[in-house]
Amino acid sequence: MESIYELNESIPVRTTAPESIAVLMAGLRAAGYNPRNEGASVSVREGSNFPVRLWGTMLPWGRRSIPVGMTVTFKETTTGTEAVVHAYDRLGWYLDARINPVFKEESQRKMALLVELARNILST
């Protein structure tokens, strides 16, 4: 399944990749997420298609449930560690997914919040 909306960002990190992974996992857990460690990356998912399909995007429950995800991959470089953040929607197939402004706005808002959270956790 292909994402429609995506955000990418690179964040320089002062610690090693294993230390950064531990810090990010702890920070995401403290923020109420259930992160998964996948080797040199950490991923997190939020939202669900079921409430969106049930209530649609016109009701607050549907809008809040728009599914997004984020993967942070850590790379060791000659100057230190770099965190590559990739946030994406997990909308799946919707007839109007590309033209519905609510899908676009809410997906981008939720992805930006995830990227900002990762940036704040890794910058401390």
Side-chain angles (χ1 to χ4, degrees), residues 35-47:
R36 293 185 313 179
N37 183 348
E38 300 168 342
S41 65
V42 174
S43 66
V44 67
R45 299 171 83 170
E46 173 185 3

Side-chain angles (χ1 to χ4, degrees), residues 91-109:
L91 288 171
W93 187 87
Y94 285 92
L95 186 59
D96 67 340
R98 291 188 189 273
I99 60 172
N100 184 328
V102 176
F103 279 138
K104 181 178 182 178
E105 292 167 10
E106 281 298 304
S107 294
Q108 290 179 340
R109 183 188 67 78

Side-chain angles (χ1 to χ4, degrees), residues 16 25 46 48 57 64 75 77 81 105:
T16 65
M25 293 280 290
E46 173 185 3
S48 172
T57 58
R64 282 194 303 259
K75 298 179 183 179
T77 64
T81 305
E105 292 167 10

Side-chain angles (χ1 to χ4, degrees), residues 1 5 14 22 50 65 73 85 88 91 93 97 108 120 122 124:
M1 179 171 36
Y5 307 110
R14 296 182 198 142
F50 180 72
S65 296
T73 305
V85 182
Y88 51 91
L91 288 171
W93 187 87
Q108 290 179 340
N120 290 340
L122 292 171
T124 57

